Amino acid sequence: MSESITTKEKVKAYLGLSGTTHDNLIDELIKNATASIERYCNRSFTEDEYTQYFDTKGGESKLFLRNFPVASLSSVKYRGGTWGAIQWLDLNVNDYLLNDNGKVTFAFLLPEAEKYIQIAYTGGYKIDFTHETDTTYHTLPFDLTQIATEIVAQ
């Protein structure tokens, strides 16, 4: 489940509002703005566990995970068996490498195939506005929060 990428307090400060008259409306606008930004960016920003499937074009050796930054990979599998009896088979940990921005590089060229690779991972940003300056708890980029705040304020 996605967490909001801005807060009611930030929106109210941006607009110079006090009091609680518009709080319910602001809360709803924050949810809608977060959902719209995530839809536009085709990703979730909240750190969570994700499973992503990849169609491979053939001859490529790199895939990009949608919800970066990536904290860890749980599994990397390839499709075996038949369409009627698909089996997901583990790749050897020495057959791929993950870098910081969510790029997975394979030690071999991938074939052309639909839904050939399945990657389960923990990715996204830590969101905790109560500890906004401590990157142990909050890693969401400031500019993303600012954009969401401005969209809500419009």
Side-chain angles (χ1 to χ4, degrees), residues 27-92:
D27 287 338
E28 192 63 31
L29 291 171
I30 288 171
K31 280 193 255 180
N32 292 340
T34 297
S36 293
I37 292 168
E38 287 183 338
R39 200 170 31 259
Y40 180 81
C41 294
N42 192 30
R43 62 158 298 161
S44 176
F45 293 105
T46 305
E47 186 178 66
D48 205 345
E49 294 178 12
Y50 299 97
T51 299
Q52 203 170 329
Y53 295 87
F54 293 89
D55 297 336
T56 53
K57 295 177 177 63
E60 63 191 351
S61 63
K62 297 175 182 144
L63 297 174
F64 294 89
L65 298 172
R66 182 179 302 122
N67 301 308
F68 59 87
V70 176
S72 64
L73 293 178
S74 304
S75 67
V76 179
K77 299 180 179 190
Y78 67 97
R79 181 177 44 79
T82 64
W83 281 112
I86 293 174
Q87 297 175 334
W88 289 104
L89 307 168
D90 288 316
L91 275 170
N92 184 302

Side-chain angles (χ1 to χ4, degrees), residues 85-148:
I86 293 174
Q87 297 175 334
W88 289 104
L89 307 168
D90 288 316
L91 275 170
N92 184 302
V93 70
N94 295 319
D95 287 339
Y96 57 87
L97 177 68
L98 170 70
N99 75 4
D100 293 341
N101 66 359
K103 179 174 72 175
V104 180
T105 304
F106 294 87
F108 53 89
L109 297 178
L110 298 167
E112 182 174 349
E114 286 183 45
K115 296 208 183 327
Y116 183 69
I117 297 290
Q118 175 198 74
I119 302 178
Y121 63 100
T122 300
Y125 296 102
K126 294 177 178 151
I127 301 175
D128 182 352
F129 286 104
T130 61
H131 297 96
E132 191 171 4
T133 59
D134 186 343
T135 57
T136 304
Y137 302 102
H138 187 88
T139 58
L140 185 70
F142 170 77
D143 55 350
L144 191 55
T145 298
Q146 185 63 30
I147 289 167

